Amino acid sequence: MDKFLRRKDSSSRTDDEEPSTSVTKNRKKVVKRKYDEDYTKYGFSWCGDETAPRLQCIICGDQLSNESMVPSKLKRHLYSSHPSCANKDQQYF
């Protein structure tokens, strides 16, 4: 009866075997975006260092991080924070 009740011991595993629940570390690739002149049509200018520019809203002065240098996020800021200026053209800013 003992042979049926024997359980495999997890410590009997050799060092070469990896456990099935091993955790793999996924690292995100950091993307440094550069300022584009078209960002002025969304009401943004840049401030700070040229190697790591930060966006600054021309209307309210908020500074956004480098990850926010995506036109969709800039447009969302313009339409949600400044709806009265959303339909203005680039020369307004």
Side-chain angles (χ1 to χ4, degrees):
M1 186 76 169
D2 287 338
K3 71 178 183 178
F4 295 111
L5 297 176
R6 244 185 247 172
R7 295 189 176 120
K8 291 184 179 181
D9 186 18
S10 63
S11 63
S12 66
R13 185 176 54 227
T14 61
D15 290 339
D16 295 338
E17 297 176 4
E18 289 187 26
S20 61
T21 59
S22 66
V23 178
T24 58
K25 294 182 180 179
N26 294 333
R27 294 187 181 189
K28 290 184 178 180
K29 184 178 178 183
V30 178
V31 177
K32 295 288 184 182
R33 297 185 180 270
K34 295 182 180 178
Y35 179 75
D36 189 12
E37 291 296 324
D38 290 335
Y39 295 160
T40 56
K41 69 180 175 184
Y42 302 118
F44 282 92
S45 179
W46 67 279
C47 64
D49 192 16
E50 286 185 18
T51 58
R54 294 189 58 149
L55 289 179
Q56 184 174 14
C57 180
I58 296 172
I59 302 165
C60 64
D62 285 347
Q63 288 187 359
L64 302 180
S65 65
N66 193 290
E67 293 99 22
S68 299
M69 281 192 182
V70 182
S72 62
K73 291 184 181 181
L74 302 178
K75 191 181 235 184
R76 182 177 59 187
H77 174 83
L78 181 65
Y79 280 91
S80 64
S81 299
H82 315 293
S84 62
C85 299
N87 296 326
K88 306 288 182 183
D89 46 339
Q90 189 172 4
Q91 292 183 356
Y92 173 78
F93 299 111

